[in-house]
Short mmCIF file of all heavy atoms in Angstrom, two decimals:
data_model
loop_
_atom_site.label_atom_id
_atom_site.label_comp_id
_atom_site.label_asym_id
_atom_site.label_seq_id
_atom_site.Cartn_x
_atom_site.Cartn_y
_atom_site.Cartn_z
N MET T 1 -6.80 -41.92 -28.52
CA MET T 1 -8.24 -41.65 -28.50
C MET T 1 -9.00 -42.92 -28.91
O MET T 1 -8.64 -43.56 -29.89
CB MET T 1 -8.56 -40.50 -29.45
CG MET T 1 -9.96 -39.99 -29.30
SD MET T 1 -10.24 -38.54 -30.32
CE MET T 1 -9.45 -37.29 -29.35
N LEU T 6 -13.88 -40.95 -31.43
CA LEU T 6 -13.56 -40.49 -32.78
C LEU T 6 -14.82 -40.43 -33.62
O LEU T 6 -15.09 -39.44 -34.31
CB LEU T 6 -12.53 -41.44 -33.42
CG LEU T 6 -12.12 -41.09 -34.84
CD1 LEU T 6 -11.37 -39.76 -34.85
CD2 LEU T 6 -11.25 -42.18 -35.41
N THR T 22 -23.36 -22.11 -44.04
CA THR T 22 -22.73 -20.85 -44.46
C THR T 22 -21.90 -20.21 -43.35
O THR T 22 -20.98 -19.47 -43.63
CB THR T 22 -23.80 -19.83 -44.90
OG1 THR T 22 -24.73 -19.66 -43.84
CG2 THR T 22 -24.49 -20.26 -46.16
N ASP T 23 -22.21 -20.50 -42.11
CA ASP T 23 -21.54 -19.77 -41.04
C ASP T 23 -20.59 -20.63 -40.22
O ASP T 23 -20.25 -20.29 -39.10
CB ASP T 23 -22.58 -19.14 -40.10
CG ASP T 23 -23.42 -18.12 -40.85
OD1 ASP T 23 -22.84 -17.42 -41.68
OD2 ASP T 23 -24.63 -18.08 -40.62
N ALA T 24 -20.19 -21.75 -40.79
CA ALA T 24 -19.34 -22.67 -40.03
C ALA T 24 -18.05 -22.00 -39.57
O ALA T 24 -17.52 -22.32 -38.54
CB ALA T 24 -19.00 -23.88 -40.88
N HIS T 25 -17.56 -21.04 -40.37
CA HIS T 25 -16.26 -20.46 -40.03
C HIS T 25 -16.39 -19.04 -39.50
O HIS T 25 -15.39 -18.41 -39.22
CB HIS T 25 -15.36 -20.49 -41.25
CG HIS T 25 -15.40 -21.82 -41.93
ND1 HIS T 25 -15.03 -22.97 -41.27
CD2 HIS T 25 -15.82 -22.19 -43.16
CE1 HIS T 25 -15.20 -24.00 -42.09
NE2 HIS T 25 -15.69 -23.56 -43.22
N TYR T 27 -16.47 -17.38 -36.96
CA TYR T 27 -16.30 -17.49 -35.52
C TYR T 27 -16.28 -16.14 -34.83
O TYR T 27 -16.43 -16.04 -33.64
CB TYR T 27 -15.03 -18.27 -35.19
CG TYR T 27 -13.76 -17.50 -35.44
CD1 TYR T 27 -13.09 -16.90 -34.38
CD2 TYR T 27 -13.23 -17.35 -36.71
CE1 TYR T 27 -11.93 -16.17 -34.59
CE2 TYR T 27 -12.09 -16.63 -36.93
CZ TYR T 27 -11.43 -16.04 -35.87
OH TYR T 27 -10.30 -15.32 -36.09
N LEU T 28 -16.09 -15.08 -35.63
CA LEU T 28 -16.10 -13.73 -35.06
C LEU T 28 -17.53 -13.27 -34.88
O LEU T 28 -18.38 -13.57 -35.70
CB LEU T 28 -15.46 -12.75 -36.02
CG LEU T 28 -13.97 -12.52 -36.01
CD1 LEU T 28 -13.66 -11.28 -36.84
CD2 LEU T 28 -13.45 -12.34 -34.60
N ASP T 29 -17.76 -12.49 -33.82
CA ASP T 29 -19.05 -11.84 -33.69
C ASP T 29 -18.95 -10.51 -34.45
O ASP T 29 -18.21 -9.63 -34.04
CB ASP T 29 -19.34 -11.59 -32.20
CG ASP T 29 -20.66 -10.85 -32.02
OD1 ASP T 29 -21.33 -10.56 -33.03
OD2 ASP T 29 -21.01 -10.55 -30.87
N PRO T 30 -19.65 -10.40 -35.56
CA PRO T 30 -19.51 -9.17 -36.33
C PRO T 30 -20.13 -7.97 -35.62
O PRO T 30 -19.81 -6.84 -35.94
CB PRO T 30 -20.24 -9.48 -37.64
CG PRO T 30 -21.19 -10.57 -37.31
CD PRO T 30 -20.63 -11.33 -36.15
N GLY T 31 -21.01 -8.21 -34.66
CA GLY T 31 -21.66 -7.12 -33.92
C GLY T 31 -22.85 -6.59 -34.70
O GLY T 31 -22.71 -6.26 -35.87
N SER T 32 -24.01 -6.51 -34.04
CA SER T 32 -25.22 -6.08 -34.73
C SER T 32 -25.07 -4.68 -35.31
O SER T 32 -25.35 -4.44 -36.48
CB SER T 32 -26.41 -6.08 -33.75
OG SER T 32 -26.57 -7.34 -33.18
N GLY T 33 -24.62 -3.75 -34.47
CA GLY T 33 -24.48 -2.36 -34.90
C GLY T 33 -23.49 -2.22 -36.03
O GLY T 33 -23.69 -1.43 -36.96
N SER T 34 -22.41 -3.02 -35.98
CA SER T 34 -21.39 -2.96 -37.03
C SER T 34 -21.95 -3.47 -38.34
O SER T 34 -21.65 -2.95 -39.41
CB SER T 34 -20.17 -3.81 -36.64
OG SER T 34 -19.56 -3.28 -35.50
N PHE T 35 -22.79 -4.49 -38.24
CA PHE T 35 -23.42 -5.06 -39.44
C PHE T 35 -24.35 -4.04 -40.10
O PHE T 35 -24.31 -3.83 -41.30
CB PHE T 35 -24.23 -6.31 -39.03
CG PHE T 35 -23.78 -7.55 -39.74
CD1 PHE T 35 -22.47 -7.98 -39.63
CD2 PHE T 35 -24.67 -8.29 -40.52
CE1 PHE T 35 -22.04 -9.13 -40.28
CE2 PHE T 35 -24.24 -9.43 -41.17
CZ PHE T 35 -22.94 -9.86 -41.05
N ILE T 36 -25.15 -3.40 -39.27
CA ILE T 36 -26.17 -2.48 -39.82
C ILE T 36 -25.52 -1.25 -40.43
O ILE T 36 -25.84 -0.87 -41.56
CB ILE T 36 -27.20 -2.13 -38.72
CG1 ILE T 36 -28.06 -3.37 -38.47
CG2 ILE T 36 -28.06 -0.94 -39.13
CD1 ILE T 36 -28.81 -3.37 -37.18
N ILE T 37 -24.56 -0.67 -39.72
CA ILE T 37 -23.90 0.53 -40.27
C ILE T 37 -23.14 0.16 -41.54
O ILE T 37 -23.09 0.94 -42.49
CB ILE T 37 -22.97 1.22 -39.23
CG1 ILE T 37 -22.53 2.61 -39.73
CG2 ILE T 37 -21.74 0.41 -38.92
CD1 ILE T 37 -23.54 3.67 -39.60
N GLN T 38 -22.58 -1.04 -41.56
CA GLN T 38 -21.83 -1.47 -42.74
C GLN T 38 -22.73 -1.54 -43.97
O GLN T 38 -22.33 -1.13 -45.07
CB GLN T 38 -21.18 -2.84 -42.49
CG GLN T 38 -20.37 -3.30 -43.66
CD GLN T 38 -19.87 -4.73 -43.58
OE1 GLN T 38 -19.51 -5.31 -44.58
NE2 GLN T 38 -19.84 -5.33 -42.39
N ILE T 39 -23.93 -2.05 -43.77
CA ILE T 39 -24.87 -2.17 -44.90
C ILE T 39 -25.18 -0.79 -45.48
O ILE T 39 -25.17 -0.59 -46.69
CB ILE T 39 -26.16 -2.90 -44.44
CG1 ILE T 39 -25.82 -4.38 -44.13
CG2 ILE T 39 -27.26 -2.80 -45.49
CD1 ILE T 39 -26.85 -5.09 -43.29
N LEU T 41 -23.32 2.07 -45.01
CA LEU T 41 -22.10 2.71 -45.54
C LEU T 41 -21.69 2.08 -46.87
O LEU T 41 -21.30 2.78 -47.80
CB LEU T 41 -20.96 2.59 -44.53
CG LEU T 41 -21.09 3.39 -43.23
CD1 LEU T 41 -19.91 3.09 -42.31
CD2 LEU T 41 -21.17 4.88 -43.52
N ALA T 42 -21.76 0.75 -46.92
CA ALA T 42 -21.32 0.06 -48.14
C ALA T 42 -22.15 0.52 -49.34
O ALA T 42 -21.63 0.69 -50.44
CB ALA T 42 -21.40 -1.44 -47.95
N GLY T 43 -23.46 0.75 -49.10
CA GLY T 43 -24.33 1.23 -50.17
C GLY T 43 -23.83 2.57 -50.71
O GLY T 43 -23.66 2.76 -51.92
N ILE T 44 -23.55 3.48 -49.78
CA ILE T 44 -23.08 4.82 -50.17
C ILE T 44 -21.69 4.71 -50.83
O ILE T 44 -21.44 5.31 -51.89
CB ILE T 44 -22.99 5.74 -48.93
CG1 ILE T 44 -24.37 5.89 -48.29
CG2 ILE T 44 -22.40 7.10 -49.27
CD1 ILE T 44 -24.36 6.46 -46.87
N MET T 45 -20.82 3.93 -50.21
CA MET T 45 -19.43 3.87 -50.67
C MET T 45 -19.29 3.11 -51.99
O MET T 45 -18.36 3.37 -52.75
CB MET T 45 -18.54 3.28 -49.58
CG MET T 45 -18.36 4.25 -48.44
SD MET T 45 -17.76 3.52 -46.92
CE MET T 45 -17.82 4.97 -45.84
N GLY T 46 -20.23 2.22 -52.23
CA GLY T 46 -20.25 1.54 -53.53
C GLY T 46 -20.53 2.54 -54.64
O GLY T 46 -19.87 2.53 -55.68
N MET T 48 -19.96 5.73 -54.43
CA MET T 48 -18.77 6.59 -54.50
C MET T 48 -17.67 5.93 -55.33
O MET T 48 -16.97 6.59 -56.09
CB MET T 48 -18.25 6.90 -53.09
CG MET T 48 -19.10 7.90 -52.33
SD MET T 48 -18.71 7.94 -50.56
CE MET T 48 -17.03 8.56 -50.60
N LEU T 49 -17.52 4.63 -55.14
CA LEU T 49 -16.48 3.90 -55.88
C LEU T 49 -16.77 3.93 -57.37
O LEU T 49 -15.87 4.19 -58.19
CB LEU T 49 -16.37 2.46 -55.38
CG LEU T 49 -15.36 1.57 -56.10
CD1 LEU T 49 -13.93 2.09 -55.88
CD2 LEU T 49 -15.45 0.13 -55.63
N MET T 50 -18.04 3.69 -57.73
CA MET T 50 -18.41 3.73 -59.15
C MET T 50 -18.15 5.13 -59.73
O MET T 50 -17.59 5.26 -60.82
CB MET T 50 -19.90 3.36 -59.34
CG MET T 50 -20.25 1.92 -59.02
SD MET T 50 -19.14 0.74 -59.78
CE MET T 50 -19.62 0.87 -61.48
N LYS T 52 -16.01 7.25 -58.69
CA LYS T 52 -14.56 7.42 -58.77
C LYS T 52 -14.00 6.76 -60.04
O LYS T 52 -13.19 7.34 -60.75
CB LYS T 52 -13.92 6.80 -57.53
CG LYS T 52 -12.51 7.25 -57.25
CD LYS T 52 -12.13 6.91 -55.80
CE LYS T 52 -11.13 5.79 -55.75
NZ LYS T 52 -10.70 5.47 -54.39
N ARG J 13 -8.92 -19.39 -30.96
CA ARG J 13 -10.21 -18.77 -31.24
C ARG J 13 -10.89 -19.35 -32.47
O ARG J 13 -12.09 -19.53 -32.49
CB ARG J 13 -10.03 -17.26 -31.44
CG ARG J 13 -9.74 -16.54 -30.15
CD ARG J 13 -10.09 -15.06 -30.23
NE ARG J 13 -10.10 -14.50 -28.89
CZ ARG J 13 -9.03 -14.11 -28.25
NH1 ARG J 13 -7.86 -14.22 -28.83
NH2 ARG J 13 -9.11 -13.63 -27.03
N ASP J 14 -10.11 -19.59 -33.51
CA ASP J 14 -10.68 -19.98 -34.79
C ASP J 14 -10.73 -21.50 -34.90
O ASP J 14 -9.70 -22.17 -34.81
CB ASP J 14 -9.78 -19.40 -35.90
CG ASP J 14 -10.34 -19.63 -37.29
OD1 ASP J 14 -11.36 -20.34 -37.40
OD2 ASP J 14 -9.76 -19.10 -38.25
N ILE J 33 -12.96 -28.97 -40.88
CA ILE J 33 -14.02 -27.98 -41.06
C ILE J 33 -13.59 -26.88 -42.04
O ILE J 33 -14.40 -26.21 -42.67
CB ILE J 33 -14.42 -27.37 -39.68
CG1 ILE J 33 -15.75 -26.63 -39.79
CG2 ILE J 33 -13.34 -26.47 -39.13
CD1 ILE J 33 -16.30 -26.19 -38.46
N GLU J 37 -12.37 -24.28 -47.72
CA GLU J 37 -11.78 -22.95 -47.78
C GLU J 37 -10.29 -23.07 -48.13
O GLU J 37 -9.77 -22.31 -48.95
CB GLU J 37 -11.94 -22.20 -46.44
CG GLU J 37 -13.26 -22.35 -45.73
CD GLU J 37 -14.42 -21.68 -46.45
OE1 GLU J 37 -14.18 -20.74 -47.21
OE2 GLU J 37 -15.57 -22.13 -46.24
N GLU J 70 -7.34 -35.31 -34.20
CA GLU J 70 -7.69 -36.22 -35.29
C GLU J 70 -8.57 -35.61 -36.36
O GLU J 70 -8.80 -36.23 -37.39
CB GLU J 70 -8.33 -37.48 -34.70
CG GLU J 70 -7.31 -38.22 -33.84
CD GLU J 70 -7.79 -39.57 -33.38
OE1 GLU J 70 -8.78 -40.07 -33.95
OE2 GLU J 70 -7.18 -40.13 -32.46
N LYS J 117 -11.93 -13.43 -43.21
CA LYS J 117 -12.98 -13.65 -42.22
C LYS J 117 -12.60 -13.08 -40.87
O LYS J 117 -13.38 -13.06 -39.93
CB LYS J 117 -13.35 -15.12 -42.12
CG LYS J 117 -12.27 -16.02 -41.50
CD LYS J 117 -12.78 -17.45 -41.50
CE LYS J 117 -11.68 -18.47 -41.37
NZ LYS J 117 -11.21 -18.75 -40.06
N ASP J 118 -11.37 -12.65 -40.73
CA ASP J 118 -11.00 -11.88 -39.54
C ASP J 118 -9.95 -10.86 -39.95
O ASP J 118 -9.36 -10.94 -41.03
CB ASP J 118 -10.51 -12.76 -38.38
CG ASP J 118 -9.43 -13.73 -38.80
OD1 ASP J 118 -8.61 -13.36 -39.65
OD2 ASP J 118 -9.41 -14.85 -38.26
N ARG J 143 -19.13 -14.93 -50.45
CA ARG J 143 -20.50 -15.17 -50.90
C ARG J 143 -21.13 -13.82 -51.17
O ARG J 143 -21.33 -13.03 -50.24
CB ARG J 143 -21.28 -15.95 -49.84
CG ARG J 143 -20.81 -17.38 -49.68
CD ARG J 143 -21.66 -18.13 -48.66
NE ARG J 143 -21.55 -17.52 -47.33
CZ ARG J 143 -20.57 -17.78 -46.48
NH1 ARG J 143 -19.61 -18.62 -46.80
NH2 ARG J 143 -20.54 -17.19 -45.29
N PRO J 147 -22.38 -9.18 -45.89
CA PRO J 147 -21.52 -8.10 -45.40
C PRO J 147 -20.15 -8.66 -44.95
O PRO J 147 -20.00 -9.86 -44.81
CB PRO J 147 -22.29 -7.54 -44.21
CG PRO J 147 -23.70 -8.02 -44.37
CD PRO J 147 -23.61 -9.32 -45.09
N TRP J 148 -19.22 -7.77 -44.74
CA TRP J 148 -17.87 -8.19 -44.35
C TRP J 148 -17.85 -8.46 -42.85
O TRP J 148 -18.00 -7.56 -42.04
CB TRP J 148 -16.86 -7.11 -44.71
CG TRP J 148 -15.43 -7.56 -44.55
CD1 TRP J 148 -14.98 -8.85 -44.56
CD2 TRP J 148 -14.28 -6.73 -44.34
NE1 TRP J 148 -13.61 -8.88 -44.39
CE2 TRP J 148 -13.16 -7.59 -44.25
CE3 TRP J 148 -14.09 -5.36 -44.25
CZ2 TRP J 148 -11.86 -7.11 -44.06
CZ3 TRP J 148 -12.81 -4.89 -44.06
CH2 TRP J 148 -11.71 -5.76 -43.97
N TYR J 151 -15.37 -6.47 -40.57
CA TYR J 151 -15.38 -5.00 -40.65
C TYR J 151 -15.12 -4.36 -39.28
O TYR J 151 -14.26 -3.50 -39.12
CB TYR J 151 -16.71 -4.53 -41.23
CG TYR J 151 -16.92 -3.04 -41.19
CD1 TYR J 151 -16.08 -2.18 -41.88
CD2 TYR J 151 -17.98 -2.49 -40.45
CE1 TYR J 151 -16.28 -0.81 -41.84
CE2 TYR J 151 -18.18 -1.13 -40.42
CZ TYR J 151 -17.33 -0.29 -41.11
OH TYR J 151 -17.52 1.07 -41.07
N ARG J 152 -15.86 -4.81 -38.28
CA ARG J 152 -15.69 -4.25 -36.93
C ARG J 152 -14.25 -4.43 -36.45
O ARG J 152 -13.63 -3.52 -35.90
CB ARG J 152 -16.64 -4.95 -35.95
CG ARG J 152 -16.52 -4.49 -34.52
CD ARG J 152 -17.39 -5.32 -33.58
NE ARG J 152 -17.04 -6.73 -33.57
CZ ARG J 152 -16.09 -7.26 -32.79
NH1 ARG J 152 -15.43 -6.51 -31.97
NH2 ARG J 152 -15.82 -8.56 -32.85
N GLN J 153 -13.71 -5.63 -36.70
CA GLN J 153 -12.36 -5.91 -36.21
C GLN J 153 -11.32 -5.02 -36.90
O GLN J 153 -10.39 -4.54 -36.25
CB GLN J 153 -12.02 -7.39 -36.42
CG GLN J 153 -11.00 -7.87 -35.42
CD GLN J 153 -10.68 -9.35 -35.54
OE1 GLN J 153 -10.78 -9.95 -36.61
NE2 GLN J 153 -10.31 -9.95 -34.43
N PHE J 200 -14.79 12.32 -43.76
CA PHE J 200 -15.89 11.41 -44.08
C PHE J 200 -15.60 9.96 -43.64
O PHE J 200 -16.47 9.29 -43.08
CB PHE J 200 -16.19 11.45 -45.58
CG PHE J 200 -17.28 10.51 -46.00
CD1 PHE J 200 -18.60 10.73 -45.61
CD2 PHE J 200 -16.99 9.37 -46.74
CE1 PHE J 200 -19.61 9.85 -45.97
CE2 PHE J 200 -18.00 8.48 -47.11
CZ PHE J 200 -19.31 8.72 -46.73
N SER J 204 -17.62 8.06 -40.73
CA SER J 204 -18.38 6.85 -41.05
C SER J 204 -17.93 5.65 -40.21
O SER J 204 -18.73 5.02 -39.52
CB SER J 204 -18.20 6.48 -42.52
OG SER J 204 -18.51 7.57 -43.34
N HIS J 205 -16.63 5.35 -40.30
CA HIS J 205 -16.14 4.07 -39.77
C HIS J 205 -15.89 4.09 -38.27
O HIS J 205 -15.78 3.03 -37.66
CB HIS J 205 -14.85 3.66 -40.50
CG HIS J 205 -15.03 3.54 -41.97
ND1 HIS J 205 -15.88 2.63 -42.55
CD2 HIS J 205 -14.48 4.23 -43.00
CE1 HIS J 205 -15.83 2.76 -43.87
NE2 HIS J 205 -15.01 3.72 -44.16
N HIS J 209 -20.18 4.48 -36.74
CA HIS J 209 -20.06 3.05 -36.41
C HIS J 209 -20.28 2.84 -34.90
O HIS J 209 -21.04 1.95 -34.47
CB HIS J 209 -18.66 2.58 -36.84
CG HIS J 209 -18.46 1.10 -36.82
ND1 HIS J 209 -17.39 0.49 -37.44
CD2 HIS J 209 -19.17 0.09 -36.27
CE1 HIS J 209 -17.45 -0.81 -37.27
NE2 HIS J 209 -18.53 -1.08 -36.56
N SER J 212 -23.89 3.38 -34.02
CA SER J 212 -24.70 2.25 -34.46
C SER J 212 -24.55 1.06 -33.51
O SER J 212 -25.51 0.36 -33.20
CB SER J 212 -24.28 1.86 -35.89
OG SER J 212 -24.99 0.73 -36.30
N GLN J 213 -23.31 0.86 -33.05
CA GLN J 213 -23.07 -0.24 -32.09
C GLN J 213 -23.90 -0.04 -30.83
O GLN J 213 -24.48 -0.97 -30.29
CB GLN J 213 -21.59 -0.30 -31.73
CG GLN J 213 -20.71 -0.91 -32.82
CD GLN J 213 -19.24 -0.96 -32.43
OE1 GLN J 213 -18.78 -0.16 -31.63
NE2 GLN J 213 -18.52 -1.89 -33.01
N PHE J 216 -27.78 -0.47 -31.65
CA PHE J 216 -28.27 -1.83 -31.97
C PHE J 216 -27.67 -2.92 -31.08
O PHE J 216 -27.75 -4.09 -31.41
CB PHE J 216 -28.01 -2.15 -33.44
CG PHE J 216 -28.77 -1.26 -34.38
CD1 PHE J 216 -28.14 -0.21 -35.04
CD2 PHE J 216 -30.13 -1.45 -34.59
CE1 PHE J 216 -28.84 0.62 -35.90
CE2 PHE J 216 -30.85 -0.62 -35.45
CZ PHE J 216 -30.20 0.42 -36.10
N LYS J 219 -29.31 -6.42 -30.28
CA LYS J 219 -30.41 -6.69 -31.21
C LYS J 219 -29.95 -7.73 -32.21
O LYS J 219 -28.85 -7.62 -32.75
CB LYS J 219 -30.82 -5.41 -31.94
CG LYS J 219 -31.23 -4.29 -30.99
CD LYS J 219 -32.54 -3.71 -31.40
CE LYS J 219 -33.14 -2.74 -30.39
NZ LYS J 219 -32.26 -1.94 -29.59
N VAL J 221 -29.31 -9.83 -35.57
CA VAL J 221 -29.17 -9.48 -36.98
C VAL J 221 -29.15 -10.77 -37.79
O VAL J 221 -28.41 -11.69 -37.46
CB VAL J 221 -27.86 -8.70 -37.23
CG1 VAL J 221 -27.56 -8.58 -38.70
CG2 VAL J 221 -27.93 -7.33 -36.60
N THR J 227 -27.26 -8.60 -48.29
CA THR J 227 -27.52 -7.17 -48.20
C THR J 227 -26.44 -6.28 -48.78
O THR J 227 -26.69 -5.11 -49.02
CB THR J 227 -27.71 -6.78 -46.72
OG1 THR J 227 -26.73 -7.49 -45.97
CG2 THR J 227 -29.09 -7.11 -46.22
N THR J 231 -20.21 -4.52 -55.50
CA THR J 231 -19.71 -3.15 -55.67
C THR J 231 -19.71 -2.40 -54.35
O THR J 231 -18.77 -1.68 -54.01
CB THR J 231 -20.58 -2.39 -56.70
OG1 THR J 231 -20.68 -3.19 -57.87
CG2 THR J 231 -19.98 -1.04 -57.03
N ALA J 232 -20.78 -2.60 -53.58
CA ALA J 232 -20.86 -1.95 -52.27
C ALA J 232 -19.74 -2.46 -51.36
O ALA J 232 -19.09 -1.69 -50.64
CB ALA J 232 -22.22 -2.22 -51.64
N GLY J 235 -16.63 -0.93 -52.44
CA GLY J 235 -16.66 0.48 -52.06
C GLY J 235 -16.27 0.67 -50.60
O GLY J 235 -15.52 1.60 -50.27
N ASP J 238 -12.55 0.06 -50.30
CA ASP J 238 -11.84 1.17 -50.94
C ASP J 238 -11.87 2.41 -50.05
O ASP J 238 -10.87 3.12 -49.92
CB ASP J 238 -12.49 1.48 -52.30
CG ASP J 238 -11.74 2.57 -53.04
OD1 ASP J 238 -10.56 2.33 -53.38
OD2 ASP J 238 -12.30 3.65 -53.26
N ASN J 239 -13.02 2.64 -49.41
CA ASN J 239 -13.13 3.80 -48.53
C ASN J 239 -12.25 3.64 -47.29
O ASN J 239 -11.63 4.61 -46.83
CB ASN J 239 -14.59 4.01 -48.13
CG ASN J 239 -14.78 5.39 -47.53
OD1 ASN J 239 -14.61 5.56 -46.34
ND2 ASN J 239 -15.09 6.37 -48.37
#
Side-chain angles (χ1 to χ4, degrees):
Chain T
M1 191 174 282
L6 179 66
T22 55
D23 297 322
H25 314 300
Y27 73 100
L28 273 192
D29 177 1
S32 303
S34 296
F35 238 58
I36 288 162
I37 191 77
Q38 182 189 161
I39 291 162
L41 291 177
I44 300 165
M45 288 163 184
M48 285 166 65
L49 178 65
M50 292 312 289
K52 198 163 108 178
Chain J
R13 288 202 166 82
D14 185 353
I33 196 172
E37 319 291 336
E70 295 188 15
K117 69 181 160 82
D118 51 35
R143 291 182 298 276
W148 190 23
Y151 172 62
R152 178 186 61 86
Q153 207 177 29
F200 178 69
S204 307
H205 302 297
H209 191 165
S212 176
Q213 284 180 334
F216 296 103
K219 302 230 171 32
V221 168
T227 41
T231 309
D238 184 63
N239 195 273

